[in-house]
Amino acid sequence: MRHLPAMIRLLAIGLGAAVLLGALAVPALAEDPDISSRRTEQRLTFSDAEIRDGFFKIALDAELQFGTRAHRIRKFDEPVRIFVDGKVSPERAAALDAIVGDIRAHIDHLDIAVTDHRKAANFVVTLVAAHQLLPTIRARFGIERARQIEHSLNPQCLSGIAKDGAYRIRRAEVILPVDASEFAFYDCAYEEMLQALGAINDDPSVPWTMFNDDVVMGFFDVYDQYLLNILYDPRIRPGMTRKEVENLLSAILPTARELVGRNNPRDQASTSAQTHTN
């Protein structure tokens, strides 16, 4: 059992959010020491087999899924526009703006950005006080599903996706508590944002991924960059089965290695997604 709260992945559900305020820019300050130490200590080199294993476990299943389970690829195939409800905490909204920029810089072929326009958004991040998390879940997903969510995982962060019949993600939602610690907020935000992009399963057998409740990161680590760059390679399409993906991975892995290597010089650690929050 990880020290931070368990997360939840939801599929094929109605998602709604009252979104009020976009991100507010603030100057970037020093990275949280706990995040810096984990960034320094992260493993950087992985075999093809280790990357393949993690990809299939994380991208083809779901931690909690309503309805029939489907072991298929789920991803956005259109620009991702994120609206942040920052009324509770403009500082956390600014942090999310920087996190989105960091994700964009590390995943090729993903058009992702924050928007100030609710109607343009297909991805909503709602910031709430911790004591409002469960009431917000009940309001978003209904009493019955909220009861299942609370009973299964007792979540303190949440991500959900709605897919169409072709397994294309059409809407995503993330709910985050603003009054978590600095480290906990970043750890929740990165994991939930990335899971809402399609890396939706948690698996305790993959020791290098943030999508493991025993692993805490607080940043976009190298191993998970491999997984997301494979997922958003144009050759990987929504609805693909494991066999279809296996037929392509030998060609895709060299591309993913080139991208991740280019974005992660070994003598530098990016702190571009860190902003000061109260």
Side-chain angles (χ1 to χ4, degrees), residues 82-98:
I82 301 170
F83 197 96
V84 179
D85 178 352
K87 183 177 181 181
V88 173
S89 173
E91 294 85 2
R92 293 301 196 198
L96 281 168
D97 195 19

Side-chain angles (χ1 to χ4, degrees), residues 42-60:
Q42 71 171 318
R43 182 175 165 186
L44 299 175
T45 304
F46 302 93
S47 68
D48 285 357
E50 288 169 335
I51 297 170
R52 286 172 184 264
D53 179 64
F55 183 79
F56 288 128
K57 289 175 176 176
I58 301 306
L60 288 172

Side-chain angles (χ1 to χ4, degrees), residues 53 77 83 96 122 124 128 141-142 149 180 220:
D53 179 64
D77 70 343
F83 197 96
L96 281 168
N122 51 8
V124 174
V128 298
F141 306 115
I149 293 166
F220 195 2

